[in-house]
Amino acid sequence: MNTILTTAIDKLVSHRPLGQEEFVAIIEGNSVELRNELSLPADRERKQYFGNRIYIRGLIEFSNYCKNNCYYCGIRCGNQALCRYRLTAEDILSCCQKGYQSGFRTFVLQSGEDPYFQDEQLAAIVSAIHWRFPDCAITLSIGERSMESYKRLFDAGASRYLLRHETADAAHYVKLHPASMSYKNRMQCLKDLKEIGYQTGCGFMVGSPFQTPEHLAKDLLFIQAFKPHMVGIGPFISHRDTPFSGCANGTLELTLLLISILRLMQPTLLLPATTALATIHPEGRDLGILAGANVVMPNLSPAHVRKDYSLYDNKSCTEAEAAESISSLKERMAQIGFQIVTDRGDTPSVF
């Protein structure tokens, strides 16, 4: 093991900031031995703040319309093969009611950037959820909006917002998105969300086209400085109806390494074991938990639309990824030493 890698591991485990060269050394040194070396202290850190608790969030994918044409995404506006849908306000509230009865105390409303849902309509939906389920947290993941829009939704009752930055390298961002989208605006949106008072989440794809270890190091440097409350990462998985249809998928192994790195960088993170992990490997979600994740997001969307929220091919939307199988999920988590809990699971106030 070279000196830079040894120093980087020591700094990471002792919560000292790393530089780009040190992050690159860890990423390039990825191996079974290194993942084991990092997952053990990551597990200790997670248990110090969260014990053996795994938080569940009920995911409601309420629209697969999107005005954007991102090159990697299956719901891009240029995909004419996709069956489009929008849930009504009544549909969304019904999903929340079902979730509440199953024990969910956080609802995640996710969609493409759908111009149909203007601020007034979205604020009314958020307000209705907040009024009907006052002991629940509402997370939004609906893309780039104005600061005024974010503020209106926050005032209506949303308290968390997940906006993946996708890449912290401006030149790489251009290779993943059309010219109509701006890296600068994406980063400004994240700053706006945090300034308003949201528990703010960012994140990136692992193994996206053109990505290098240096790009991933920049992602980690951004997160190290930004200090989000949540980080959502998962392997890039290609979609057959996108320009990246022939590109290689990201790997389970690198994603697990990065989960452990993130847990050690910021022990109080809310860090999901994502559906993409479960899609790429049958035990991906469990392995993500063992690497340091502490959130799972079963799907509360109506069963008949789940396959149409098709961000990537072969998306896992059955069994433990479905909210109907919450008892199975509890059993799986118990088998690896963890307990599903139904409280809101706010980030510990240690910043």
Side-chain angles (χ1 to χ4, degrees):
M1 189 177 295
N2 64 55
T3 303
I4 294 176
L5 179 55
T6 301
T7 302
I9 293 170
D10 289 343
K11 290 175 70 173
L12 184 62
V13 173
S14 59
H15 310 304
R16 287 179 287 159
L18 275 67
Q20 180 166 331
E21 185 180 20
E22 291 164 325
F23 279 129
V24 168
I26 295 176
I27 293 163
E28 290 183 338
N30 188 14
S31 65
V32 173
E33 293 76 19
L34 180 58
R35 291 195 298 276
N36 289 338
E37 185 175 353
L38 294 183
S39 66
L40 292 174
D43 182 58
R44 287 196 300 269
E45 292 292 344
R46 188 247 320 273
K47 286 180 178 175
Q48 179 180 343
Y49 291 97
F50 300 99
N52 68 341
R53 299 187 298 277
I54 301 298
Y55 299 100
I56 56 172
R57 280 80 169 91
L59 179 63
I60 303 170
E61 297 162 333
F62 65 91
S63 170
N64 71 348
Y65 283 85
C66 189
K67 67 181 183 182
N68 295 327
N69 212 19
C70 303
Y71 304 146
Y72 51 83
C73 184
I75 66 170
R76 63 198 304 266
C77 64
N79 182 6
Q80 301 300 312
L82 184 64
C83 179
R84 304 284 177 172
Y85 73 90
R86 293 185 180 105
L87 300 185
T88 65
E90 291 73 22
D91 292 333
I92 295 169
L93 286 167
S94 176
C95 292
C96 292
Q97 182 64 47
K98 179 178 69 173
Y100 192 87
Q101 292 171 346
S102 298
F104 290 87
R105 293 299 178 267
T106 297
F107 303 120
V108 181
L109 272 59
Q110 181 174 345
S111 73
E113 292 193 21
D114 185 352
Y116 174 83
F117 287 96
Q118 298 293 310
D119 290 350
E120 182 176 0
Q121 187 176 3
L122 278 174
I125 291 170
V126 170
S127 181
I129 296 171
H130 186 59
W131 179 83
R132 191 174 297 186
F133 309 102
D135 56 333
C136 294
I138 302 170
T139 300
L140 300 177
S141 182
I142 54 177
E144 298 179 12
R145 303 179 78 88
S146 68
M147 189 167 188
E148 293 74 22
S149 175
Y150 289 147
K151 182 67 164 57
R152 184 168 183 178
L153 297 172
F154 182 81
D155 291 341
S159 58
R160 300 169 179 164
Y161 203 107
L162 176 60
L163 178 65
R164 289 192 177 193
H165 64 278
E166 301 299 1
T167 175
D169 182 277
H172 187 215
Y173 186 91
V174 170
K175 293 181 178 181
L176 303 178
H177 301 89
S180 58
M181 298 186 69
S182 160
Y183 170 80
K184 182 179 179 181
N185 189 63
R186 177 65 60 103
M187 290 302 189
Q188 185 60 52
C189 285
L190 284 165
K191 293 176 184 176
D192 290 346
L193 289 163
K194 210 172 183 187
E195 182 178 336
I196 289 167
Y198 281 97
Q199 290 188 28
T200 304
C202 59
F204 55 90
M205 294 176 290
V206 179
S208 61
F210 313 109
Q211 188 181 73
T212 66
E214 287 74 18
H215 292 145
L216 287 170
K218 287 185 177 181
D219 288 319
L220 296 173
L221 286 169
F222 167 69
I223 291 166
Q224 183 173 261
F226 185 63
K227 290 184 168 53
H229 301 86
M230 305 173 280
V231 174
I233 69 168
F236 164 77
I237 303 174
S238 66
H239 190 288
R240 61 189 176 278
D241 296 317
T242 69
F244 292 158
S245 61
C247 293
N249 292 337
T251 68
L252 171 76
E253 292 78 12
L254 183 53
T255 306
L256 296 178
L257 176 73
L258 289 162
I259 288 174
S260 294
I261 292 172
L262 289 165
R263 176 60 62 201
L264 290 167
M265 282 172 54
Q266 195 173 319
T268 60
L269 274 177
L270 293 169
L271 190 57
T274 61
T275 301
L277 265 179
T279 299
I280 208 165
H281 190 281
E283 297 179 2
R285 185 197 57 254
D286 299 10
L287 293 170
I289 295 295
L290 292 170
N294 63 339
V295 173
V296 291
M297 298 173 62
N299 202 322
L300 285 173
S301 306
H304 69 279
V305 303
R306 291 177 192 169
K307 64 180 176 57
D308 294 323
Y309 201 83
S310 177
L311 303 179
Y312 44 81
D313 283 343
N314 304 313
K315 176 186 170 188
S316 180
C317 57
T318 58
E319 298 179 354
E321 300 308 310
E324 293 83 358
S325 300
I326 192 67
S327 59
S328 173
L329 180 60
K330 288 179 178 179
E331 291 174 7
R332 288 288 296 271
M333 291 296 101
Q335 289 172 6
I336 59 173
F338 293 90
Q339 176 187 5
I340 292 291
V341 294
T342 58
D343 61 72
R344 292 163 51 111
D346 292 310
T347 306
S349 299
V350 297
F351 301 123

